[in-house]
Amino acid sequence: MDKLARYAETLDRAALDARATPQLTHGDPDLSVADAYLIQKLSVDRRLARGERRIGVKMGLTSRAKMLQVGVDEVAWGRLTDAMLIEEGAAMSRARFVHPRVEPEVAFLMKAPLSGRVTAAQALAAVEAIAPAMEIIDSRYENFKFTLTDVIADNTSSSGLVIGQWNDPATDCSNLGVILEINGQVTQIGSTAAILGHPLRSLVAAARLVAEAGEEITAGDIVMAGGITAAPNLAPGQTVRTTIQGLGSVMFRVEV
Ligand code: OOG
Ligand code: MG
């Protein structure tokens, strides 16, 4: 079996078994970012072969808070499938994850394809709606530690997402206040401006990076713009809520 396919299987297995695996770069320090994106594609292809459906893409490491938290300072993207969706207001099972964390995000719903080098205005023209959202990230690596290469291979820790109400795409989302509450306590505060200065810049970057991989963002896709604050750990019993000024709230619960 090809080396990259073997790594993809290891990461896919780790996610299925909710058991951490050593960083790929520990055993293979020369692994490139290009290799890592191939591993990511191969591991997501395994999910698709099991019947999961592609629903869009996510951007990662688009904010300082996230870069500082994980020690990686380049943006990256990952692939989303329907199996990652958690219904708004519903419960997720902690046991299905290795060491899940949550982060407030902005989600875009696309009404037209977007690919390659586009302006922010072109990106906005392709947006159907904007929603407050949360991503559940769950590194498949031990101790949630990784390099840029590792985390790209691991589908940028993507493991769950919750989307709130869809809003008019004309809503100015450049600098909206954000709070993340756990059990009613404000745990993180921030602004949508934390996402590259404007969440639309993340969508512009997504169009370019996805095109570099020979793919495109299509109508109907969800694009997660990236975490706004540092990401706290999840534990059973928690009720987690994100509120974004003018966009509304989104919540889920954590069960055993
Ligand atoms: C990497 C994924 C980062 C984001 O929104 O910045 C990410 C990680 O923190 O595990 O999803
Ligand atoms: Mg994220």
Side-chain angles (χ1 to χ4, degrees):
M1 198 176 182
D2 171 64
K3 179 177 83 173
L4 301 185
R6 201 154 31 79
Y7 292 159
E9 181 178 13
T10 299
L11 289 165
D12 184 42
R13 264 274 129 228
L16 280 172
D17 298 344
R19 182 174 298 157
T21 189
Q23 288 175 235
L24 294 181
T25 56
H26 282 175
D28 196 342
D30 297 331
L31 209 60
S32 69
V33 164
D35 287 340
Y37 276 114
L38 286 172
I39 297 166
Q40 178 190 124
K41 180 172 189 327
L42 291 169
S43 88
V44 175
D45 282 349
R46 297 175 65 91
R47 288 172 166 264
L48 302 180
R50 287 197 294 272
E52 294 180 29
R53 191 172 52 82
R54 178 195 173 286
I55 57 164
V57 302
K58 62 156 280 188
M59 292 297 288
L61 306 167
T62 49
S63 74
R64 284 296 297 158
K66 288 290 310 178
M67 288 177 177
L68 287 172
Q69 184 180 25
V70 298
V72 173
D73 62 2
E74 270 181 79
V75 304
W77 69 283
R79 295 163 161 94
L80 301 173
T81 76
D82 61 342
M84 299 173 187
L85 279 170
I86 294 162
E87 203 182 312
E88 204 284 317
M92 62 149 268
S93 159
R94 165 69 182 81
R96 285 184 32 242
F97 299 83
V98 185
H99 35 208
R101 297 176 175 177
V102 63
E103 52 196 17
E105 301 215 4
V106 169
F108 293 107
L109 177 64
M110 306 306 295
K111 66 177 177 194
L114 201 61
S115 176
R117 295 206 170 262
V118 298
T119 63
Q122 285 168 325
L124 180 60
V127 172
E128 168 83 29
I130 305 174
M134 287 183 275
E135 184 177 30
I136 294 156
I137 48 170
D138 190 33
S139 177
R140 268 57 68 161
Y141 298 117
E142 290 161 352
N143 307 313
F144 226 109
K145 287 249 159 32
F146 43 73
T147 64
L148 177 68
T149 313
D150 286 316
V151 74
I152 288 169
D154 185 28
N155 200 19
T156 57
S157 307
S158 195
S159 69
L161 66 151
V162 192
I163 310 266
Q165 76 192 55
W166 290 110
N167 294 270
D168 188 327
T171 316
D172 178 357
C173 67
S174 60
N175 182 16
L176 303 175
V178 177
I179 58 173
L180 174 67
E181 288 166 278
I182 298 184
N183 294 339
Q185 300 262 40
V186 175
T187 305
Q188 297 284 333
I189 58 167
S191 159
T192 56
I195 305 168
L196 297 174
H198 193 313
L200 272 179
R201 293 203 184 122
S202 180
L203 186 54
V204 167
R208 179 173 49 79
L209 292 172
V210 171
E212 280 170 13
E215 298 180 25
E216 66 169 12
I217 294 167
T218 61
D221 271 4
I222 289 167
V223 179
M224 297 286 281
I228 292 161
T229 67
N233 292 318
L234 290 174
Q238 290 171 335
T239 296
V240 184
R241 178 186 300 275
T242 284
T243 305
I244 303 186
Q245 178 192 0
L247 296 185
S249 283
V250 54
M251 67 83 74
F252 67 94
R253 288 177 301 107
V254 187
E255 288 180 346
V256 179

